[in-house]
Amino acid sequence: MLEEGSVVGHGLIAGILIPVAMVGIAEKGYVTLELTAEGPGGHSSMPPPEGAISILSTAISRLEANPMPPAITGAVRQFLGCVAQDTTFGRRMILANLWLFEPLVKRQLTKSSRTNALIRTTMAVTMLHSGA
């Protein structure tokens, strides 16, 4: 698979001392959700206690507050094993022992949007239509 997100770069993952080529070999998958909220019409000078846009905003906030869990599996686990040889000794020890340090590695990778996307299915609200 060739895709627009892969790069060859330096410093993509902290501690890796050489440029790394990020090669896309699979797609995580996707889902399209359409959320709809309807409410009574009216005038903005007399708004209801909670309008449809507010209800929809709450639903979106709940989705964003509950991301898919991170996981280091398959190709990502192999990738980390390959780049481990080009890291500092401490990082090499951590990556060579993911059975012990996986929670630490996941916590570190989730701190950057670039590496967070390696270990979890991400979500992005991309389109909104509101009002009449």
Side-chain angles (χ1 to χ4, degrees):
M1 172 183 91
L2 297 175
E3 51 95 18
E4 77 284 354
S6 298
V7 297
V8 176
H10 214 111
L12 297 175
I13 299 179
I16 297 177
L17 307 174
I18 62 170
V20 174
M22 303 292 284
V23 179
I25 61 167
E27 188 66 45
K28 288 184 276 187
Y30 71 94
V31 64
T32 299
L33 299 176
E34 183 174 320
L35 305 177
T36 303
E38 295 181 6
H43 194 274
S44 63
S45 66
M46 296 179 287
E50 186 172 45
I53 293 173
S54 177
I55 293 168
L56 191 57
S57 296
T58 300
I60 292 169
S61 292
R62 285 182 180 172
L63 285 170
E64 289 179 335
N66 294 286
M68 298 294 289
I72 300 175
T73 59
V76 173
R77 188 172 288 274
Q78 289 177 336
F79 167 75
L80 293 174
C82 289
V83 298
Q85 64 190 354
D86 294 305
T87 64
T88 60
F89 177 75
R91 290 180 194 272
R92 188 166 42 248
M93 291 299 295
I94 290 170
L95 293 175
N97 292 288
L98 284 176
W99 62 272
L100 179 61
F101 294 109
E102 188 168 334
L104 172 70
V105 173
K106 283 195 261 188
R107 195 168 40 253
Q108 187 65 32
L109 292 175
T110 59
K111 290 181 180 180
S112 164
S113 60
R114 186 177 281 158
T115 53
N116 181 52
L118 286 174
I119 61 169
R120 78 170 77 227
T121 299
T122 56
M123 182 192 76
V125 176
T126 57
M127 295 173 55
L128 294 171
H129 301 278
S130 66

